[in-house]
Amino acid sequence: MSGETIVKDALDAKSTDVFAGRVVRKDLVRQVKVGANVPVYVLEFLLGQYCATDDLVAIETGLRLVNATLAEQFVRPDEANKVQALVKERGRYRIIDKVKVRLLETQDKYWAELVNFNHRFVHIPERYVRQYERLLEGGVWAEVELEYIPDEHTAGVIRPFFIRELKPIQLASFDLDDYRRRRSEFTTEEWMDLLVRSVGLEPTGMEWRLKMH
């Protein structure tokens, strides 16, 4: 793995443990983004899944998994037809794409649009619409498992694509109670240092007044 070695301290270890899967090393984001035209928060989500560890060997393995996942699942607009065909041929297929939802009142039905997949009439379970309101407010990036059912008709038109599983990558809803619970694991000083570090600064040696700025 190229680049300087990152030395983690007790605060890094604690934040990784308390916010498991949500703490991301920015240097790893830069490494992956070199070869992928992908939104940063998508990369951070994948790195949180596969590289949230101190073990260098595990990080190397995780980076390979991130790159493999992007190559297989991330839908690029110019490959929409190819990916649609993959869903048809395999029956089920997992992708990463931006998902928007709208209500079509003439059918009393919610339809999902998969932006890069280039399809505006994808069936989506209503539980996801109720659970993730941002789907109705501009959409969210998500991991989506699609199923192809060729004989499915809606309003006299074949609509074969179904969302069977949806896992948001962006923060589609915010659990304040969960956030408070995790925050309570830190002292005030630890939390301030974590906030400073999260914006790319090193709090060690800083006076409290400077941290507050």
Side-chain angles (χ1 to χ4, degrees), residues 74-110:
F74 184 77
V75 180
R76 290 169 173 77
D78 60 345
E79 296 180 343
N81 289 335
K82 172 186 173 182
V83 178
Q84 290 178 23
L86 281 172
V87 179
K88 177 184 184 302
E89 294 301 321
R90 298 188 183 184
R92 284 193 179 224
Y93 192 70
R94 187 174 293 272
I95 67 172
I96 295 174
D97 201 352
K98 187 171 185 178
V99 184
K100 300 179 180 181
V101 172
R102 70 192 186 283
L103 173 65
L104 192 57
E105 72 281 2
T106 56
Q107 298 177 6
D108 189 31
K109 179 176 174 60
Y110 290 108

Short mmCIF file of all heavy atoms in Angstrom, two decimals, residues 74-110:
data_model
loop_
_atom_site.label_atom_id
_atom_site.label_comp_id
_atom_site.label_asym_id
_atom_site.label_seq_id
_atom_site.Cartn_x
_atom_site.Cartn_y
_atom_site.Cartn_z
N PHE A 74 -20.98 -1.08 -9.45
CA PHE A 74 -21.26 0.33 -9.73
C PHE A 74 -21.71 0.49 -11.18
O PHE A 74 -21.02 0.08 -12.11
CB PHE A 74 -20.02 1.19 -9.47
CG PHE A 74 -20.28 2.66 -9.66
CD1 PHE A 74 -20.93 3.39 -8.69
CD2 PHE A 74 -19.87 3.30 -10.82
CE1 PHE A 74 -21.18 4.75 -8.86
CE2 PHE A 74 -20.12 4.66 -11.00
CZ PHE A 74 -20.77 5.38 -10.02
N VAL A 75 -22.89 1.09 -11.36
CA VAL A 75 -23.46 1.25 -12.70
C VAL A 75 -23.00 2.57 -13.29
O VAL A 75 -23.27 3.64 -12.75
CB VAL A 75 -25.00 1.21 -12.65
CG1 VAL A 75 -25.57 1.37 -14.06
CG2 VAL A 75 -25.49 -0.09 -12.03
N ARG A 76 -22.32 2.48 -14.42
CA ARG A 76 -21.95 3.68 -15.16
C ARG A 76 -23.00 3.93 -16.24
O ARG A 76 -23.51 2.99 -16.84
CB ARG A 76 -20.56 3.50 -15.78
CG ARG A 76 -19.46 3.50 -14.73
CD ARG A 76 -18.11 3.06 -15.27
NE ARG A 76 -17.07 3.23 -14.26
CZ ARG A 76 -16.87 2.42 -13.23
NH1 ARG A 76 -17.65 1.35 -13.08
NH2 ARG A 76 -15.92 2.65 -12.35
N PRO A 77 -23.34 5.20 -16.47
CA PRO A 77 -24.44 5.51 -17.39
C PRO A 77 -24.30 4.88 -18.77
O PRO A 77 -25.29 4.46 -19.37
CB PRO A 77 -24.41 7.04 -17.47
CG PRO A 77 -23.81 7.47 -16.17
CD PRO A 77 -22.79 6.42 -15.83
N ASP A 78 -23.07 4.78 -19.27
CA ASP A 78 -22.88 4.22 -20.61
C ASP A 78 -22.97 2.70 -20.63
O ASP A 78 -22.88 2.08 -21.69
CB ASP A 78 -21.54 4.68 -21.20
CG ASP A 78 -20.34 4.24 -20.37
OD1 ASP A 78 -20.54 3.84 -19.20
OD2 ASP A 78 -19.21 4.30 -20.89
N GLU A 79 -23.15 2.09 -19.45
CA GLU A 79 -23.27 0.63 -19.38
C GLU A 79 -24.67 0.20 -18.94
O GLU A 79 -24.87 -0.95 -18.55
CB GLU A 79 -22.23 0.07 -18.40
CG GLU A 79 -20.79 0.30 -18.84
CD GLU A 79 -19.79 -0.26 -17.85
OE1 GLU A 79 -20.18 -0.53 -16.68
OE2 GLU A 79 -18.62 -0.44 -18.22
N ALA A 80 -25.64 1.11 -19.00
CA ALA A 80 -26.98 0.81 -18.51
C ALA A 80 -27.59 -0.40 -19.21
O ALA A 80 -28.14 -1.30 -18.56
CB ALA A 80 -27.89 2.04 -18.68
N ASN A 81 -27.52 -0.44 -20.53
CA ASN A 81 -28.11 -1.57 -21.26
C ASN A 81 -27.44 -2.89 -20.89
O ASN A 81 -28.11 -3.93 -20.76
CB ASN A 81 -27.99 -1.34 -22.77
CG ASN A 81 -28.92 -0.25 -23.26
OD1 ASN A 81 -29.95 0.03 -22.64
ND2 ASN A 81 -28.57 0.37 -24.38
N LYS A 82 -26.14 -2.85 -20.72
CA LYS A 82 -25.40 -4.06 -20.35
C LYS A 82 -25.85 -4.58 -18.98
O LYS A 82 -26.07 -5.79 -18.80
CB LYS A 82 -23.90 -3.75 -20.33
CG LYS A 82 -23.03 -4.87 -19.77
CD LYS A 82 -21.58 -4.42 -19.65
CE LYS A 82 -20.74 -5.44 -18.93
NZ LYS A 82 -19.33 -4.97 -18.77
N VAL A 83 -26.01 -3.67 -18.03
CA VAL A 83 -26.40 -4.08 -16.68
C VAL A 83 -27.85 -4.56 -16.67
O VAL A 83 -28.19 -5.54 -15.99
CB VAL A 83 -26.19 -2.93 -15.68
CG1 VAL A 83 -26.63 -3.34 -14.28
CG2 VAL A 83 -24.72 -2.51 -15.65
N GLN A 84 -28.72 -3.91 -17.43
CA GLN A 84 -30.10 -4.40 -17.53
C GLN A 84 -30.13 -5.83 -18.07
O GLN A 84 -30.89 -6.68 -17.59
CB GLN A 84 -30.92 -3.47 -18.44
CG GLN A 84 -31.21 -2.11 -17.83
CD GLN A 84 -31.99 -1.20 -18.77
OE1 GLN A 84 -32.67 -1.68 -19.68
NE2 GLN A 84 -31.90 0.10 -18.57
N ALA A 85 -29.28 -6.10 -19.05
CA ALA A 85 -29.20 -7.45 -19.62
C ALA A 85 -28.68 -8.45 -18.59
O ALA A 85 -29.15 -9.59 -18.53
CB ALA A 85 -28.31 -7.45 -20.85
N LEU A 86 -27.73 -8.02 -17.75
CA LEU A 86 -27.21 -8.90 -16.71
C LEU A 86 -28.31 -9.29 -15.72
O LEU A 86 -28.39 -10.44 -15.28
CB LEU A 86 -26.06 -8.22 -15.97
CG LEU A 86 -24.69 -8.23 -16.66
CD1 LEU A 86 -23.71 -7.35 -15.89
CD2 LEU A 86 -24.15 -9.65 -16.77
N VAL A 87 -29.14 -8.31 -15.35
CA VAL A 87 -30.25 -8.60 -14.44
C VAL A 87 -31.19 -9.62 -15.07
O VAL A 87 -31.63 -10.58 -14.43
CB VAL A 87 -31.01 -7.32 -14.07
CG1 VAL A 87 -32.18 -7.65 -13.13
CG2 VAL A 87 -30.08 -6.31 -13.40
N LYS A 88 -31.48 -9.43 -16.36
CA LYS A 88 -32.37 -10.36 -17.07
C LYS A 88 -31.77 -11.77 -17.12
O LYS A 88 -32.44 -12.76 -16.84
CB LYS A 88 -32.64 -9.86 -18.48
CG LYS A 88 -33.49 -10.81 -19.33
CD LYS A 88 -33.62 -10.30 -20.75
CE LYS A 88 -34.55 -11.19 -21.58
NZ LYS A 88 -34.10 -12.60 -21.63
N GLU A 89 -30.51 -11.87 -17.49
CA GLU A 89 -29.88 -13.17 -17.68
C GLU A 89 -29.67 -13.92 -16.37
O GLU A 89 -29.80 -15.14 -16.31
CB GLU A 89 -28.54 -13.01 -18.41
CG GLU A 89 -28.68 -12.49 -19.84
CD GLU A 89 -29.53 -13.40 -20.70
OE1 GLU A 89 -29.41 -14.64 -20.56
OE2 GLU A 89 -30.32 -12.89 -21.51
N ARG A 90 -29.34 -13.19 -15.32
CA ARG A 90 -29.04 -13.84 -14.04
C ARG A 90 -30.27 -13.99 -13.15
O ARG A 90 -30.23 -14.74 -12.17
CB ARG A 90 -27.95 -13.08 -13.31
CG ARG A 90 -26.63 -13.03 -14.08
CD ARG A 90 -25.52 -12.43 -13.25
NE ARG A 90 -24.28 -12.31 -14.00
CZ ARG A 90 -23.12 -11.89 -13.50
NH1 ARG A 90 -23.05 -11.55 -12.21
NH2 ARG A 90 -22.05 -11.81 -14.26
N GLY A 91 -31.31 -13.23 -13.44
CA GLY A 91 -32.50 -13.30 -12.61
C GLY A 91 -32.44 -12.35 -11.43
O GLY A 91 -33.40 -11.65 -11.13
N ARG A 92 -31.31 -12.33 -10.75
CA ARG A 92 -31.06 -11.39 -9.66
C ARG A 92 -29.65 -10.84 -9.81
O ARG A 92 -28.73 -11.56 -10.21
CB ARG A 92 -31.20 -12.06 -8.29
CG ARG A 92 -32.64 -12.31 -7.86
CD ARG A 92 -32.71 -12.66 -6.39
NE ARG A 92 -34.07 -12.89 -5.96
CZ ARG A 92 -34.59 -12.42 -4.83
NH1 ARG A 92 -33.85 -11.69 -4.02
NH2 ARG A 92 -35.83 -12.69 -4.49
N TYR A 93 -29.50 -9.56 -9.46
CA TYR A 93 -28.18 -8.94 -9.60
C TYR A 93 -28.11 -7.74 -8.67
O TYR A 93 -29.09 -7.01 -8.52
CB TYR A 93 -27.96 -8.49 -11.05
CG TYR A 93 -26.54 -8.10 -11.37
CD1 TYR A 93 -25.52 -9.05 -11.43
CD2 TYR A 93 -26.20 -6.77 -11.62
CE1 TYR A 93 -24.22 -8.69 -11.74
CE2 TYR A 93 -24.90 -6.40 -11.93
CZ TYR A 93 -23.91 -7.37 -11.99
OH TYR A 93 -22.62 -7.02 -12.28
N ARG A 94 -26.96 -7.56 -8.03
CA ARG A 94 -26.78 -6.47 -7.08
C ARG A 94 -26.00 -5.33 -7.74
O ARG A 94 -24.97 -5.57 -8.38
CB ARG A 94 -26.03 -6.96 -5.84
CG ARG A 94 -25.94 -5.94 -4.71
CD ARG A 94 -25.31 -6.56 -3.48
NE ARG A 94 -26.17 -7.58 -2.91
CZ ARG A 94 -27.12 -7.34 -2.02
NH1 ARG A 94 -27.33 -6.10 -1.60
NH2 ARG A 94 -27.84 -8.33 -1.54
N ILE A 95 -26.51 -4.10 -7.57
CA ILE A 95 -25.86 -2.93 -8.17
C ILE A 95 -25.74 -1.82 -7.13
O ILE A 95 -26.37 -1.86 -6.07
CB ILE A 95 -26.64 -2.40 -9.39
CG1 ILE A 95 -28.00 -1.82 -8.96
CG2 ILE A 95 -26.81 -3.48 -10.45
CD1 ILE A 95 -28.74 -1.11 -10.07
N ILE A 96 -24.92 -0.83 -7.46
CA ILE A 96 -24.83 0.42 -6.70
C ILE A 96 -25.27 1.54 -7.63
O ILE A 96 -24.70 1.72 -8.71
CB ILE A 96 -23.40 0.67 -6.20
CG1 ILE A 96 -22.99 -0.41 -5.19
CG2 ILE A 96 -23.29 2.06 -5.57
CD1 ILE A 96 -21.53 -0.32 -4.76
N ASP A 97 -26.30 2.28 -7.22
CA ASP A 97 -26.85 3.33 -8.08
C ASP A 97 -27.60 4.33 -7.22
O ASP A 97 -27.87 4.08 -6.04
CB ASP A 97 -27.79 2.71 -9.13
CG ASP A 97 -28.00 3.61 -10.35
OD1 ASP A 97 -27.54 4.77 -10.33
OD2 ASP A 97 -28.63 3.14 -11.32
N LYS A 98 -27.96 5.45 -7.82
CA LYS A 98 -28.80 6.43 -7.14
C LYS A 98 -30.26 6.06 -7.36
O LYS A 98 -30.69 5.84 -8.50
CB LYS A 98 -28.54 7.84 -7.64
CG LYS A 98 -29.28 8.91 -6.83
CD LYS A 98 -28.84 10.32 -7.19
CE LYS A 98 -29.52 11.33 -6.27
NZ LYS A 98 -29.08 12.72 -6.54
N VAL A 99 -31.03 6.01 -6.26
CA VAL A 99 -32.42 5.59 -6.31
C VAL A 99 -33.33 6.77 -5.95
O VAL A 99 -33.15 7.39 -4.90
CB VAL A 99 -32.69 4.42 -5.34
CG1 VAL A 99 -34.13 3.94 -5.48
CG2 VAL A 99 -31.71 3.28 -5.57
N LYS A 100 -34.27 7.06 -6.83
CA LYS A 100 -35.30 8.06 -6.57
C LYS A 100 -36.66 7.38 -6.59
O LYS A 100 -36.85 6.40 -7.31
CB LYS A 100 -35.28 9.16 -7.63
CG LYS A 100 -33.98 9.93 -7.75
CD LYS A 100 -34.09 10.98 -8.86
CE LYS A 100 -32.82 11.78 -9.01
NZ LYS A 100 -32.94 12.81 -10.08
N VAL A 101 -37.60 7.90 -5.82
CA VAL A 101 -38.94 7.32 -5.78
C VAL A 101 -39.97 8.43 -6.00
O VAL A 101 -39.82 9.54 -5.49
CB VAL A 101 -39.21 6.60 -4.44
CG1 VAL A 101 -40.67 6.17 -4.34
CG2 VAL A 101 -38.30 5.38 -4.30
N ARG A 102 -41.01 8.10 -6.76
CA ARG A 102 -42.13 9.03 -6.97
C ARG A 102 -43.44 8.25 -6.84
O ARG A 102 -43.48 7.04 -7.07
CB ARG A 102 -42.04 9.68 -8.35
CG ARG A 102 -42.32 8.74 -9.50
CD ARG A 102 -41.94 9.33 -10.85
NE ARG A 102 -42.34 8.46 -11.96
CZ ARG A 102 -41.68 7.37 -12.32
NH1 ARG A 102 -40.61 6.97 -11.65
NH2 ARG A 102 -42.11 6.65 -13.35
N LEU A 103 -44.48 8.97 -6.47
CA LEU A 103 -45.82 8.38 -6.41
C LEU A 103 -46.54 8.67 -7.72
O LEU A 103 -46.68 9.83 -8.12
CB LEU A 103 -46.61 8.96 -5.25
CG LEU A 103 -48.09 8.55 -5.18
CD1 LEU A 103 -48.23 7.06 -4.92
CD2 LEU A 103 -48.82 9.36 -4.11
N LEU A 104 -46.99 7.61 -8.39
CA LEU A 104 -47.81 7.77 -9.59
C LEU A 104 -49.26 7.57 -9.16
O LEU A 104 -49.73 6.45 -8.99
CB LEU A 104 -47.40 6.74 -10.65
CG LEU A 104 -47.98 6.95 -12.06
CD1 LEU A 104 -47.62 8.32 -12.61
CD2 LEU A 104 -47.49 5.86 -13.00
N GLU A 105 -49.94 8.69 -8.96
CA GLU A 105 -51.26 8.64 -8.33
C GLU A 105 -52.30 7.93 -9.19
O GLU A 105 -53.26 7.34 -8.66
CB GLU A 105 -51.74 10.05 -7.97
CG GLU A 105 -52.15 10.94 -9.14
CD GLU A 105 -50.96 11.55 -9.87
OE1 GLU A 105 -49.81 11.26 -9.48
OE2 GLU A 105 -51.19 12.31 -10.82
N THR A 106 -52.13 7.94 -10.51
CA THR A 106 -53.11 7.27 -11.37
C THR A 106 -53.07 5.75 -11.20
O THR A 106 -54.01 5.06 -11.58
CB THR A 106 -52.85 7.62 -12.85
OG1 THR A 106 -51.50 7.28 -13.18
CG2 THR A 106 -53.09 9.11 -13.09
N GLN A 107 -51.98 5.25 -10.63
CA GLN A 107 -51.85 3.82 -10.37
C GLN A 107 -51.83 3.51 -8.87
O GLN A 107 -51.77 2.35 -8.49
CB GLN A 107 -50.58 3.27 -11.02
CG GLN A 107 -50.56 3.39 -12.53
CD GLN A 107 -49.24 2.91 -13.14
OE1 GLN A 107 -48.37 2.37 -12.46
NE2 GLN A 107 -49.09 3.10 -14.45
N ASP A 108 -51.87 4.57 -8.05
CA ASP A 108 -51.78 4.41 -6.60
C ASP A 108 -50.57 3.55 -6.24
O ASP A 108 -50.65 2.61 -5.45
CB ASP A 108 -53.07 3.78 -6.04
CG ASP A 108 -53.11 3.80 -4.52
OD1 ASP A 108 -52.53 4.74 -3.93
OD2 ASP A 108 -53.68 2.87 -3.92
N LYS A 109 -49.43 3.92 -6.83
CA LYS A 109 -48.24 3.07 -6.70
C LYS A 109 -46.98 3.91 -6.69
O LYS A 109 -46.87 4.92 -7.40
CB LYS A 109 -48.18 2.08 -7.87
CG LYS A 109 -46.97 1.14 -7.85
CD LYS A 109 -47.03 0.14 -8.97
CE LYS A 109 -45.76 -0.71 -9.05
NZ LYS A 109 -45.50 -1.47 -7.80
N TYR A 110 -46.02 3.48 -5.88
CA TYR A 110 -44.69 4.08 -5.88
C TYR A 110 -43.82 3.39 -6.93
O TYR A 110 -43.81 2.16 -7.02
CB TYR A 110 -44.02 3.94 -4.51
CG TYR A 110 -44.65 4.78 -3.43
CD1 TYR A 110 -45.40 4.18 -2.42
CD2 TYR A 110 -44.48 6.16 -3.40
CE1 TYR A 110 -45.98 4.94 -1.41
CE2 TYR A 110 -45.05 6.93 -2.40
CZ TYR A 110 -45.80 6.31 -1.41
OH TYR A 110 -46.37 7.07 -0.42
#
